[in-house]
Amino acid sequence: ELQYVPAEIEPKWQNLWEETGLYRTREDANRPHYYCLEMFPYPSGKLHMGHVRVYSIGDVVARVKRMQGYNVLHPMGWDAFGMPAENAAIQHGVHPRLWTYENIDHMRQQQKRLGVSYDWEREVTTCAPDYYKFTQWMFLLFYHRGLAYRKKAAVNWCPHCVTVLANEQVENGRCWRCGTEVTKRELEQWFLRITDYADRLLEDLDQLDRWPERVKVMQRNWIGRSTGAEVEFALEGRPETIRVFTTRPDTLLGVTYMVLAPEHPLVPALIEHSSERNRVEAFVEEMRKASEVERTAAEGEKRGVFTGTYAIHPLTGDRVPIWVANYVLLDYGTGAVMGVPAHDERDFAFAKKYNLPIRVVIRPEDRELPTPPVEAYVEDGVLVNSGRWDGMHNREAIHAITAHLEEMGKGRFATSYRIRDWLISRQRYWGAPIPIVYCDHCGIVPVPEDQLPVRLPEDVSFEPGTVSPLATNEDFVQTTCPKCGGPGRRETDTMDTFMCSSWYYFRYTSPKETARPFDPEAVRKWLPVDDYIGGIEHAVLHLLYSRFFTKVLQDAGWVDFSEPFRHLLTQGMVIKEGAKMSKSKGNVVSPDDIINRYGADTARLFILFAAPPDRDLEWNDQGVEGSHRFLHRVWRLVNQNREVFHAPAGDRMAPAARDLRRKTHATIKKVTEDFAQRYTFNTGISAIMELVNAIYAYPAEADPFTKAAAIRTVLLLLAPAAPHICEELWSQIGGTGSVHEQPWPTYDPAELVTDEVEYAVQVNGKVRDHIVVSASAGEEEVRQTALGAEKIQEWTGGKRVVKVIVVPKKLVNIVVKG
Ligand code: ANZ
Ligand code: ZN
């Protein structure tokens, strides 16, 4: 008998699969297409268990779909630009390109060892010129559509290193290298106008009925659309007005003060002649240094200063004191709010603290509010102290008051968004150069498409001290203006790596295209992606940007759909001892160790079996052992039953054979649903385990055909999860071709029908129990089974049975007396 030695069979089959091109994407015209995609990794160095989990999930789906007769696109690639490569260059003196490509080679090897069925001929690497050429092309597409623009924005700046820092390089407000406190610096930067697409990004979420609700909620909050009104407040003794955004124009008559954000552009002019000028200036300076998070934390202290100036209430003409406070943000709404302490919690706290008046204008319909109020009343109600609107329901008043303001020219209906335009400039080396030239004559000039890629120069200085490493290479910087041919200077910033990952799934459909980012025909065939599998940490940025790109490509006529991912599966974390695996916790289990010890099939099986994919998975060594033992059991099942594959047919209608056939078909049904519809791989695998048990229990003398068919079914159903062992055993039983090219087994509904009948059992006309008997049971057997049922005896005990009526295949009625 052969031994199960994963270290022998796994590399053997991996090499054979590669030689025969088993996983090359098939494009038969008569088969439907299926695109199964896992989020591509950042080549950080080596795979962790989280990677193993996503790839195992994706691989099961891809393999099942291939067996079900689809053309399957199942590609892999590298999100290869980004900070860690550059940090390695700074810290260890390796060039980012070398570091990155070495990591890619290593991780690709690990993926191959896992036996994942990728079509490696479609691999994409975002840091390769043939790829980033088209990331630059995308930038130009946005630029020419008026969706890319330049404006000044603040970046993190380390005064000691004299360099810009990425957000990830700021640790607790200090530089990651030297620990100096980080300051802000204004630089010209490129933005993409994602806010133009805010409404569509929000509304199209409703189409995504196969996305987790949690992800959609996060995207909705990120976009943060609020509807309400803008109200114009005149200023006392000044010509300007203050415009506020409010979601509650119904509370307008409750306004007792106004607040401007500390950086509001009107503040300096407002306080110029004010007695409060010095105090306000000091406060503004202090706020400039605090982070947004600190300033707006809900529990955080609300602080402010009076400016010494007043606005005029648009309806009453009352004087309203103007304050500056930490809780108002410059870049939300208009950067100014009307303070309504009676109906807003933050305003209430602020008014209490600074002794500002509180005026109630809404009260509940069924009770009085205490005077003075002890908290903000934020619910719906009817208006009071609001003149002509008194008694109106506040929902109605929102509309009525805004309409009134509009008539007076003092306000309008308005919508506000939390989402901001996407800042894509990075003062970093390891990214795609922004394809722009600055010319003294022509200004900003986009690099023409036929001059792409703008190549990333090899030779730059990574030493901090310049704004952007690319600026240290004069050959790169100095160029000719594409428009006038005069001297020009290249943009030296690179693009946010989220630009690279926003379109890679298009590239896989036609990765060898040289003149366009992708072949629209190929995209029409494969997209939208059928399954997209990845981490919840991408719920907002990557997934939102990808949706944005798709909509822009749709508007430009490159694709004919608006959403790139039909079904999104966000897998849970892999944890050990209740915590996420991480170096700092010292609880990391290395995929290599597990593969060395048990083989890839065990690793994959355990990971799929231990939890449903969207839940966190608790790593446990006994579980791994258990999965490994199960594979041994499957191995022995085949090896101890070689003869059944050659034996003559026996009695196929004997009860044991019928039972095993029923079990086999029921398992096919269950596993098909679990693997290809519900994505609950754990329960599918446990169904296969039960079938294996049933085969072991099958009597030696029973029909061998049925047994052989059941074993073959186990191999076919298990092949997507444990591809190597199933391939090996398939070949041992003389199966033709690869197990992975067999048609997925289908079940016969007729085989599922059980030969049993259920009867309701009544005692004196009331149903007291149900019994199950063989369909062939005669009336007497049914009668005896009913009378013998435990629950029935509770009702008949001590009484006289006067009659038993059997309605065939339905009902037994027992009549008792006494
Ligand atoms: C008056 C008012 C009365 C408000 C009331 C609320 C309740 P959402 O829903 O998040 O859009 N606000 C407006 N701009 C702000 C800014 N730049 N910084 C901080 N707060 C700002 O919130 C809109 C509400 O948040 C607005 O409606 C405004 O306060 C405040 F009973 O106006 B409200
Ligand atoms: Zn020019």
Side-chain angles (χ1 to χ4, degrees):
E1 188 183 315
L2 293 169
Q3 289 301 305
Y4 172 41
V5 185
E8 278 168 22
I9 62 167
E10 292 187 352
K12 174 180 98 183
W13 287 110
Q14 285 159 13
N15 291 336
L16 258 158
W17 293 334
E18 196 157 327
E19 274 166 35
T20 55
L22 187 64
Y23 304 125
R24 222 169 282 146
T25 311
R26 199 167 51 188
E27 299 218 46
D28 295 355
N30 55 342
R31 292 173 187 261
H33 285 60
Y34 199 93
Y35 190 172
C36 174
L37 179 66
E38 294 114 59
M39 288 181 185
F40 67 166
Y42 177 76
S44 52
K46 51 184 188 221
L47 297 188
H48 53 66
M49 280 300 169
H51 292 123
V52 176
R53 192 172 190 196
V54 212
Y55 307 148
S56 301
I57 292 169
D59 202 36
V60 170
V61 176
R63 287 175 184 275
V64 171
K65 290 294 165 183
R66 271 192 216 102
M67 291 172 80
Q68 285 183 329
Y70 289 85
N71 292 323
V72 171
L73 177 55
H74 189 219
M76 184 36 66
W78 309 97
D79 189 9
F81 272 139
M83 288 288 307
E86 211 159 329
N87 292 349
I90 296 171
Q91 289 178 323
H92 311 298
V94 238
H95 194 277
R97 188 174 44 74
L98 270 179
W99 185 89
T100 303
Y101 277 97
E102 271 174 16
N103 287 349
I104 288 176
D105 285 343
H106 182 70
M107 289 168 76
R108 189 194 299 109
Q109 218 39 53
Q110 291 185 296
Q111 287 170 331
K112 288 186 175 175
R113 271 194 92 193
L114 266 177
V116 192
S117 64
Y118 294 130
D119 177 356
W120 286 106
E121 290 182 7
R122 290 176 183 245
E123 181 177 11
V124 305
T125 306
T126 61
C127 66
D130 67 349
Y131 184 91
Y132 71 68
K133 167 180 178 176
F134 294 110
T135 305
Q136 294 172 337
W137 184 99
M138 293 286 165
F139 173 88
L140 293 175
L141 179 76
F142 282 85
Y143 181 84
H144 292 301
R145 297 182 69 77
L147 295 170
Y149 66 94
R150 220 159 91 100
K151 94 174 177 200
K152 273 218 156 111
V155 294
N156 303 307
W157 178 259
C158 173
H160 178 258
C161 298
V162 210
T163 191
V164 171
L165 299 174
N167 284 336
E168 306 90 302
Q169 293 174 318
V170 182
E171 291 163 2
N172 297 324
R174 293 178 178 276
C175 172
W176 67 302
R177 286 192 85 195
C178 69
T180 305
E181 201 171 317
V182 170
T183 60
K184 294 274 175 188
R185 203 175 192 203
E186 298 265 310
L187 289 181
E188 290 279 351
Q189 317 230 28
W190 285 95
F191 289 84
L192 295 189
R193 237 180 258 287
I194 193 172
T195 52
D196 276 13
Y197 283 72
D199 281 325
R200 278 163 69 187
L201 287 166
L202 191 65
E203 278 149 23
D204 288 355
L205 284 174
D206 296 339
Q207 299 175 21
L208 302 176
D209 53 350
R210 297 182 63 221
W211 276 42
E213 196 51 42
R214 172 155 92 111
V215 173
K216 291 194 277 185
V217 167
M218 285 164 81
Q219 294 216 354
R220 278 191 197 104
N221 291 342
W222 186 269
I223 296 165
R225 179 164 73 186
S226 293
T227 53
E230 279 179 4
V231 186
E232 220 76 60
F233 283 72
L235 295 175
E236 190 178 70
R238 294 194 66 92
E240 304 96 331
T241 58
I242 293 178
R243 179 182 296 179
V244 303
F245 171 74
T246 177
T247 47
R248 298 292 307 275
D250 52 320
T251 65
L252 183 56
L253 287 132
V255 172
T256 57
Y257 66 99
M258 325 243 336
V259 194
L260 301 179
E263 313 87 338
H264 195 285
L266 208 56
V267 171
L270 213 53
I271 59 173
E272 199 180 346
H273 303 293
S274 162
S275 55
E276 307 297 318
R277 178 172 171 173
N278 289 345
R279 290 182 54 210
V280 175
E281 280 176 349
F283 180 77
V284 168
E285 195 43 42
E286 186 189 334
M287 288 304 125
R288 225 190 274 286
K289 290 191 182 135
S291 75
E292 185 167 303
V293 188
E294 283 162 13
R295 274 177 47 182
T296 53
E299 341 69 64
E301 195 195 1
K302 288 163 191 58
R303 293 178 51 212
V305 283
F306 176 45
T307 61
T309 63
Y310 293 85
I312 307 295
H313 193 285
L315 298 183
T316 63
D318 289 349
R319 297 172 86 210
V320 184
I322 303 172
W323 288 62
V324 171
N326 61 350
Y327 73 93
V328 176
L329 298 177
L330 181 66
D331 66 354
Y332 185 65
T334 61
V337 307
M338 57 188 217
V340 186
H343 304 293
D344 180 271
E345 275 156 15
R346 288 179 307 179
D347 295 350
F348 186 85
F350 193 76
K352 276 283 174 204
K353 178 164 181 186
Y354 293 108
N355 242 329
L356 292 156
I358 299 172
R359 182 162 39 232
V360 171
V361 289
I362 294 177
R363 69 168 191 78
E365 280 170 291
D366 55 354
R367 63 191 162 92
E368 291 293 333
L369 290 175
T371 30
V374 290
E375 59 179 355
Y377 177 71
V378 300
E379 313 285 307
D380 286 340
V382 293
L383 270 67
V384 293
N385 301 322
S386 297
R388 64 154 105 171
W389 292 288
D390 278 356
M392 187 184 271
H393 192 270
N394 77 301
R395 295 272 133 206
E396 235 177 287
I398 288 177
H399 191 268
I401 293 182
T402 308
H404 180 74
L405 287 167
E406 216 160 47
E407 259 167 47
M408 296 170 63
K410 290 184 176 175
R412 65 206 67 83
F413 292 93
T415 306
S416 216
Y417 298 86
R418 221 155 269 284
I419 191 172
R420 295 282 154 261
D421 277 342
W422 175 11
L423 197 175
I424 58 152
S425 297
R426 295 290 179 275
Q427 294 75 38
R428 293 282 127 210
Y429 169 66
W430 195 233
I434 296 175
I436 289 286
V437 171
Y438 301 101
C439 167
D440 285 343
H441 293 284
C442 314
I444 296 176
V445 184
V447 174
E449 204 183 300
D450 59 11
Q451 290 175 25
L452 298 182
V454 175
R455 279 182 183 270
L456 193 59
E458 282 284 296
D459 185 19
V460 300
S461 162
F462 300 109
E463 272 315 299
T466 50
V467 164
S468 175
L470 291 189
T472 63
N473 184 316
E474 273 300 308
D475 287 345
F476 173 81
V477 177
Q478 303 295 346
T479 185
T480 48
C481 168
K483 214 166 172 182
C484 70
R489 290 180 63 79
R490 286 196 190 279
E491 167 68 63
T492 55
D493 285 352
T494 54
M495 291 185 238
D496 180 3
T497 57
F498 277 114
M499 286 284 285
C500 313
S501 56
S502 293
W503 73 279
Y504 75 106
Y505 46 92
F506 291 111
R507 183 73 181 167
Y508 282 137
T509 64
S510 39
K512 307 271 165 11
E513 282 282 321
T514 53
R516 337 172 257 194
F518 53 80
D519 168 11
E521 262 316 303
V523 164
R524 204 191 315 279
K525 271 190 231 151
W526 291 113
L527 273 93
V529 172
D530 291 281
D531 294 301
Y532 195 25
I533 305 155
I536 187 83
E537 66 273 20
H538 295 294
V540 181
L541 298 179
H542 165 60
L543 289 168
L544 193 69
Y545 294 149
S546 295
R547 298 179 60 225
F548 172 41
F549 263 57
T550 302
K551 289 175 201 305
V552 173
L553 287 167
Q554 180 191 31
D555 291 352
W558 279 88
V559 305
D560 57 7
F561 49 88
S562 58
E563 286 294 336
F565 312 122
R566 259 189 247 276
H567 171 226
L568 176 69
L569 182 68
T570 47
Q571 101 278 4
M573 288 190 299
V574 181
I575 60 179
K576 195 178 177 203
E577 286 131 23
K580 186 181 172 162
M581 282 189 186
S582 72
K583 271 197 210 120
S584 59
K585 299 221 177 58
N587 63 350
V588 174
V589 179
S590 129
D592 283 333
D593 289 351
I594 297 297
I595 295 176
N596 291 342
R597 211 150 145 208
Y598 301 101
D601 283 339
T602 294
R604 298 168 54 125
L605 191 72
F606 166 71
I607 275 210
L608 291 163
F609 179 59
D614 53 342
R615 298 280 186 76
D616 287 350
L617 180 159
E618 171 84 42
W619 188 271
N620 86 63
D621 298 333
Q622 294 96 301
V624 181
E625 290 281 350
S627 294
H628 193 56
R629 271 199 307 277
F630 170 69
L631 292 180
H632 271 287
R633 203 164 145 75
V634 172
W635 181 273
R636 282 197 310 276
L637 182 67
V638 173
N639 276 276
Q640 294 168 356
N641 286 285
R642 291 287 183 86
E643 73 291 348
V644 298
F645 297 97
H646 314 289
D651 177 8
R652 287 176 47 80
M653 295 317 278
R658 297 181 67 174
D659 279 351
L660 184 59
R661 265 205 311 286
R662 185 182 312 126
K663 182 81 186 168
T664 303
H665 285 261
T667 307
I668 295 172
K669 179 172 191 287
K670 169 87 177 136
V671 175
T672 305
E673 288 166 0
D674 280 348
F675 282 9
Q677 288 162 32
R678 276 197 292 266
Y679 302 85
T680 43
F681 310 102
N682 56 327
T683 53
I685 289 168
S686 84
I688 300 173
M689 292 173 171
E690 278 179 38
L691 177 57
V692 168
N693 291 344
I695 303 172
Y696 267 103
Y698 189 67
E701 69 284 1
D703 171 46
F705 261 42
T706 299
K707 189 171 190 179
I711 295 175
R712 249 185 245 113
T713 301
V714 166
L715 297 183
L716 292 168
L717 296 178
L718 192 60
H724 308 87
I725 186 175
C726 292
E727 187 77 313
E728 173 69 23
L729 294 175
W730 184 257
S731 85
Q732 287 181 17
I733 63 170
T736 44
S738 166
V739 71
H740 304 295
E741 289 192 306
Q742 304 307 310
W744 184 251
T746 51
Y747 65 92
D748 178 357
E751 292 283 5
L752 295 180
V753 176
T754 53
D755 294 332
E756 286 169 338
V757 183
E758 191 183 75
Y759 282 82
V761 184
Q762 298 181 338
V763 178
N764 288 350
K766 279 219 169 89
V767 177
R768 298 297 185 188
D769 199 5
H770 291 85
I771 56 168
V772 175
V773 293
S774 153
S776 56
E779 193 175 316
E780 186 52 29
E781 190 183 336
V782 175
R783 185 200 311 264
Q784 290 311 326
T785 311
L787 288 170
E790 217 173 300
K791 272 202 206 141
I792 295 305
Q793 290 191 347
E794 284 172 25
W795 296 96
T796 55
K799 296 186 180 139
R800 191 161 57 87
V801 176
V802 288
K803 212 187 214 170
V804 179
I805 304 152
V806 175
V807 182
K809 306 211 162 25
K810 279 201 180 109
L811 182 83
V812 182
N813 190 14
I814 303 167
V815 183
V816 293
K817 267 205 178 131

